[in-house]
Amino acid sequence: SGIQVTSEGERHLGAVLGTEEFRKRYVMDKVAKWVRDVEQLAEVGKDDPQAAYCAYTKALCHRWTFVQRTIPGISELFRPLEDALRQCFLPAIVGRQISDTERGLFTLPVRLGGLGISNPVEGSELEFQASVKITDNLKKLIIGQESSLDGYQAGAVAEVTSDCLKDKEVRLLRRISAIVSNSSDERLKRSITLAQEKGAGAWLTVLPLGSLGWVLNKEEFRDALRLRYGWQIPNIPAFCVCGKKNSVDHTLICKNGGYLIFRHNKIRDTNAAFLREVCHNVKTEPELISIDSSQTVRGNTEEGARLDISARGLWGPFQRTIFDVRIFHPNADTYKNRDVKSLYIQHENIKKRDYEQRVIQVEKCSFTPLVYSISR
């Protein structure tokens, strides 16, 4: 008849039912395969860390989520997988062995300064408990042999899901607080703060599409990680062409070599491209109207002064707005001990002091400063 009777257990809907020993063997076989997958991906990561990182975070790491959510008491069975991540995969993409502090940091999501590579041992039981809470209402309907979903309480389920997400957020914030408080590396603490800025980790979460110029070679990807976490970049010149002692922080503020102009113009042109999608008459470097001798205007009054962008239709249907870009390095000597939020306000006020009155009174339009920090 083809029916097999077993007293041990059987795979069911991607999970497993049966004795504890059978469930253990099932999960161990799964974990062994995932370990091989991680090791193979680590080999890719040695030459192409961006592709390996993207493949892991977008695909591979989701393979064991269902198993964790449906089988209790299997946390320690994921130890070989965590060992593979810690000893093979992460060193392959970072380019060196990592510390316990760094491993804890990397488990955090990118938006909180991590890499989103969670520890499967720590997360297994948490995933199961959250799944039990979220599916409790549906479980009761199944046990009661209900023939319809009229008794399904979607609002209550959504509330439970929201509570689980809030609990997870609290755990993550506690972890990052512990990492910061236990670390004696002030540069790392500052780097974590900067890495939590909105958009600072966007380069990690995007797909590496060559058509958009988002592909990084292994040196660029690892250097980007070093910038993100304040690590030393190897093999940089000891002195800058300006004669000063060289460092990453100096490189980001030195006026020699044209990097500051290139960086500014790239941000300007990117904003202008976005504005062209929704606005009219977008121009870059519009010349400001000359000021008559009878006009009293505070700030920049130079003849032929230009700001970065002008556009119509952003704040009002026909309203013209002029934008000016300002970029600052929060780890410059002047700023490194200051709160980042206060630095944004300071640079916004500088732009307003220099141009707002002239733009409003002479150009008869609105003025919007665009202030950016060099966050990673």
Side-chain angles (χ1 to χ4, degrees), residues 78 99 102 132 141 154 176 187 219 259 278 283 289 295 367:
F78 282 88
S99 67
E102 289 166 346
V132 168
L141 295 179
I176 196 166
R187 187 172 184 83
E219 288 187 352
Y259 172 69
V278 295
K283 300 177 181 178
I289 298 173
Q295 293 177 303
F367 177 66

Side-chain angles (χ1 to χ4, degrees), residues 344-360:
Y344 281 108
I345 295 173
Q346 173 185 329
H347 288 281
E348 179 185 0
N349 289 336
I350 290 173
K351 282 295 183 185
K352 287 181 176 180
R353 181 194 64 198
D354 290 344
Y355 295 106
E356 185 174 49
Q357 192 175 94
R358 179 173 180 175
V359 168
I360 292 174

